[in-house]
Amino acid sequence: MEKSQILVVEDEEKIARVLELELTFEGYHVEKIHDGLDALQRVREQTWDLILLDVMLPGMSGIDILRRIRSGDDETPVIMLTAKDSIDDKVTGLDLGANDYVTKPFQIEELLARVRASLRSKQSRSKASGLMIADLSIDEATHEVYRNGEEIELTAREFSLLLYFVKNQRQVLSRDQLLDGVWGYDYYGDTNIVDVYVRYLRNKMDKGFEPKLIHTVRGVGYVLKDPR
């Protein structure tokens, strides 16, 4: 069984190291980051099963990171960590879409229980909302993609793009919409990146299969639909 991918964003090295050791011992794959801006970059580069996110961070606060995460991703569980036992902090985090909130200092067993609960909830939601179109099926929990029973290997970014297409199937999406939804609304790179990744997806999940699912709408963008 594939290990769950957990990103620990915590600027206190000792706490981050303890979390890394304990979560690794529990069987998770863990990466830790100490800076807010670096963390936001890693969130965009890879799909995570869970994010442990400190509120007070150098570079960018955990609240601002959460706001950017939720602007294009409503699925990834986020547990906020903070030394502040403040009702305002908790309300702000939960209103922005945090799944849970743990105040430091915390008991490691309690945090591990919350991690397990958040991961179970994510898997339950994924199974309850199995995504399919034509003979294409997507498992959000395992990131497995099948077309006509054949497994399609996708990178994390390709998977995120496909997921966005499927959740907005039959809707014509502009390049700007795809950039906002998959790369984040404050992405400043070349919009041609969308065309590049759409080409990657087509080569993997449309080439050699019928019907074709990703269609170009000239002058507008792209749409994923079953034309039959």
Side-chain angles (χ1 to χ4, degrees), residues 2-5 47-50 72-77 119 121-132 137-146 156 159-160 162-167:
E2 187 177 349
K3 293 182 179 181
S4 294
Q5 307 283 317
T47 301
W48 300 93
D49 295 300
L50 177 74
D73 173 14
D74 290 329
E75 302 296 330
T76 305
L119 288 171
S121 177
K122 177 178 184 286
Q123 291 167 357
S124 296
R125 289 196 306 271
S126 297
K127 290 178 181 177
S129 59
L131 298 173
M132 290 194 69
S137 64
I138 300 175
D139 188 323
E140 289 187 76
T142 64
H143 292 185
E144 292 177 327
V145 178
Y146 289 88
F159 181 84
S160 296
L162 176 59
L163 197 60
Y164 193 80
F165 266 128
V166 172
K167 289 186 175 181

Side-chain angles (χ1 to χ4, degrees), residues 5-22:
Q5 307 283 317
I6 297 180
L7 180 65
V8 174
V9 186
E10 167 60 64
D11 66 324
E12 295 185 50
E13 175 61 40
K14 289 183 179 179
I15 294 177
R17 180 58 177 158
V18 168
L19 289 172
E20 180 184 36
L21 290 172
E22 294 288 347

